[in-house]
Structures are given as structure tokens and as C-alpha cells.
Amino acid sequence: LQAVWPREDVLVWVGGGFSYGWGCINCAVPMMADSLVARPWPFWGGSSGGQLIAFDVRDAAAPKFASAVNLSSNTWWNFSKAFAQDGKVYISHQASRFIPIKTDAGEATPTASANQLVAAAPIDPIVIYPPTGKWITRWYLDVVDYADAAEPLVRRPSNIPGSLVGLSHDAEVLYTRGVHWTKEGTSDWTEYLNAVTYDGVKARLIDSLPLSNSWTRALLVSGTNVFLSRFGPESDATGAASAASLDTWFLADTGKFTRSGTVRMSAQASVLAEFNGLLAVQQTDNGVTLFDATNGSTLRKVGEAKTGGCVWYDLTKADGALARGVWLPLGAYGVTRVPATP
């Protein structure tokens, strides 16, 4: 589950997953046979996300269940990370539908093949043919308004070009990530970062930026800055060479993505996380580099470390701040700290 705060006095847990119920909190393996216990808030079978549980935390010592929203009850799937802004929670999902294709009236009716017939059958066999058509899958934006946490308002979904990855400009600009498709249903499978304007009802594309073909393609939206990893040929004094870098982009007043800065990296970036002005970069060599990102266009390195052997850390579960560095969970091996220098 992911914790988001649409308001200071409202905490919303967002998530859900696989196909198990909310079971006994004392059970060591919740995905196994699991006893369900009574509690003052609901439990249900999971999905690929889309479940939001809100709590009223005006009294921090006595949080109260406020409401539950299940967006996955109508076959929506592949929900994105959630983002909170101005009392609302923003999240995206995918939905698919089948479009039948009508055959020409004069088209011959298909006949049963030999392996569909039953030898010496006393009656004619029944042959069932699958419908002719195609599946269409689209991305949609979901907005849940927690002006009243007990009665949240779920807006009608709006079609967007890809999975939601961030917000800026008070959620009037959304950022999505995904491939582009032609009207004929084809794609070259290049991933794009898309900037979309959202007026509360419909989303409209502003600009798109093709992402690197390198396999990491780490991306993080932080305020109006977008941090992108890049790995590929780069010219230098000795000629062309492969180089890893981290670029900073922003959406200019012209409505175009503009690069404002670049820093070289010792290895490719695989995961990015930001902690109140401190940018942490997880690298493919098992290292982590810390940057002062208070000025996104001029990143300043303030720390780095590398875990050895089979000790892997999870940057998505880390915590930190610019004044004290980052604490990294190491699973069964405990926690380690990467300090940040002023």
C-alpha cells in the first residue's frame, strides 16, 4: 500500500494486489490460507490496485476509518502510483474492450473442419465459432475528491496517453509515460514522456518527449522538473563513447520540453527518488548517488556509497532529507545510511 495525503487531516492508503483478502494482521504469510477477522473498516479480495482507504486523522492519537473506494470493480487494471494535490488523489488505470467486426453479408459461412466432427455421431455436431473483432486498450485518469473524506467524489475517467507519473502546476499539468499508437493500431514501441493539460473534465496533449532506448529509462517528476536517465553514445575529446548521464527537463512556456541540465554518472541510473530537495539515484552497479536538487537544473553531488556482494537495497522504500542523507532498507540485513555532505 502507498500512503498519500490529499489533506493534512486525511490519510489515504492506495493499492491492492493479486487476489487475496485483507486478512489477519498477525498472519505471517497473508497470501496463504488466511483467517479473516472483524475490524471497523472493510476487507475484500485484491486486484492490480485501484483501492483507496481513507482515514480521518484530525486526532492523530485516534484515527478513524472514513471511506473506501474500489476502482477495480469494473475490470479496470494496471493502476499507476497515486499522487495527491489540493484535496484530491490522482491515479491512472488501463481498460480494455472488444470491438466486433461485422462480416460482409455475402461472405460464405465457415464450415466445420474434420477434427471438429465426431465420427458416427447420432446427431450433427454443434460448432461454436469465436466472434470476429479486436481488443482495444486505453489509459484513463481517475480523480477522487476528498473534500468530504466520508463521501469522496469519484470523477468520470478521462482518456490520457499512458500511465500517470506525476503532476505539476497545481495538477493542471499531468505527466504520463507510454508508447504512441497510430490510427491503424500500430506502434514502433518507443516510450514517450507526455505533458497533458487537465481542466477537471478532459485531458489534452501539450508535448511529447521520446525516451532513451537504453533499458533503464529511469524517470522522476519532481515539481516542474523531470529527471531522466540516459545511456548511449556521446562525443568527447577522444571521440564517441558510451556514457551514463542524468538529464533535467522542464515544460517551457512555449509548451515544449526543454533540457535545463545534465550530470555525468559512473553507471546507469535504474531508480530515482526525491526526499524534500534530496535526489537519490540507484545505479546498476549497486551504488547510490545523492544530489542536492533544490536547483533542479544544477544538480550538486552531496553523497555516494555502494553496497557489496548480494546485499541489495530498495530505494523505493527509503527515507531521507537533505540535511541527514538517506536511510536504505536492506531486507534481512537491516538498514544502512548514506550521509549527505553540506
Side-chain angles (χ1 to χ4, degrees):
L1 295 176
Q2 175 195 358
V4 294
W5 297 82
R7 290 173 20 202
E8 290 185 357
D9 57 354
V10 176
L11 168 63
V12 179
W13 291 98
V14 185
F18 307 104
S19 58
Y20 58 92
W22 284 66
C24 170
I25 60 176
N26 293 320
C27 296
V29 187
M31 293 183 67
M32 300 299 183
D34 191 345
S35 62
L36 297 176
V37 297
R39 53 171 58 91
W41 42 283
F43 56 86
W44 49 70
S47 68
S48 61
Q51 302 179 58
L52 297 85
I53 308 171
F55 288 87
D56 183 336
V57 292
R58 284 176 291 184
D59 182 355
K64 298 179 181 178
F65 168 73
S67 62
V69 173
N70 186 2
L71 299 175
S72 62
S73 61
N74 45 13
T75 71
W76 295 350
W77 53 285
N78 201 11
F79 287 87
S80 70
K81 177 182 176 181
F83 301 88
Q85 177 71 41
D86 193 27
K88 306 173 186 65
V89 173
Y90 297 75
I91 192 172
S92 67
H93 74 269
Q94 281 185 285
S96 301
R97 66 187 181 97
F98 183 78
I99 300 179
I101 299 176
K102 295 181 179 180
T103 58
D104 296 335
E107 184 177 348
T109 301
T111 57
S113 60
N115 61 1
Q116 292 173 313
L117 300 178
V118 180
I123 58 175
D124 292 335
I126 298 176
V127 181
I128 300 176
Y129 296 94
T132 302
K134 59 183 179 181
W135 283 94
I136 299 295
T137 300
R138 293 188 173 96
W139 286 99
Y140 293 91
L141 172 71
D142 303 297
V143 180
V144 183
D145 191 337
Y146 284 94
D148 182 353
E151 295 290 340
L153 175 64
V154 181
R155 292 184 183 175
R156 182 176 180 179
S158 177
N159 188 208
I160 55 176
S163 177
L164 183 67
V165 294
L167 316 171
S168 70
H169 300 82
D170 296 326
E172 293 181 2
V173 176
L174 314 177
Y175 299 89
T176 69
R177 178 178 185 167
V179 299
H180 287 183
W181 296 87
T182 66
K183 293 181 179 180
E184 291 74 28
T186 61
S187 174
D188 63 1
W189 301 106
T190 298
E191 270 198 317
Y192 288 83
L193 169 68
N194 308 290
V196 178
T197 180
Y198 177 64
D199 61 5
V201 179
K202 291 185 178 181
R204 296 175 176 83
L205 182 65
I206 302 174
D207 192 25
S208 296
L209 177 69
L211 301 184
S212 168
N213 289 326
S214 63
W215 66 269
T216 54
R217 293 196 295 275
L219 183 157
L220 176 68
V221 178
S222 178
T224 57
N225 290 315
V226 180
F227 301 110
L228 293 175
S229 68
R230 180 163 52 90
F231 183 80
E234 184 173 292
S235 297
D236 55 21
T238 61
S242 292
S245 62
L246 183 65
D247 298 340
T248 303
W249 294 77
F250 73 101
L251 189 66
D253 293 339
T254 58
K256 297 294 183 181
F257 279 114
T258 303
R259 185 163 58 188
S260 61
T262 299
V263 293
R264 293 288 294 267
M265 302 292 298
S266 60
Q268 298 180 62
S270 57
V271 181
L272 305 175
E274 194 267 339
F275 307 98
N276 296 319
L278 179 67
L279 176 64
V281 182
Q282 182 173 341
Q283 299 163 199
T284 54
D285 63 353
N286 215 21
V288 59
T289 302
L290 306 180
F291 293 97
D292 179 347
T294 52
N295 183 352
S297 60
T298 308
L299 296 177
R300 183 175 63 89
K301 183 187 293 187
V302 294
E304 60 183 341
K306 184 181 294 185
T307 58
C310 298
V311 180
W312 297 92
Y313 58 89
D314 186 355
L315 188 58
T316 64
K317 302 297 189 298
D319 193 16
L322 188 57
R324 62 185 180 93
V326 168
W327 291 89
L328 301 172
L330 303 177
Y333 296 96
V335 178
T336 188
R337 174 175 175 261
V338 181
T341 58

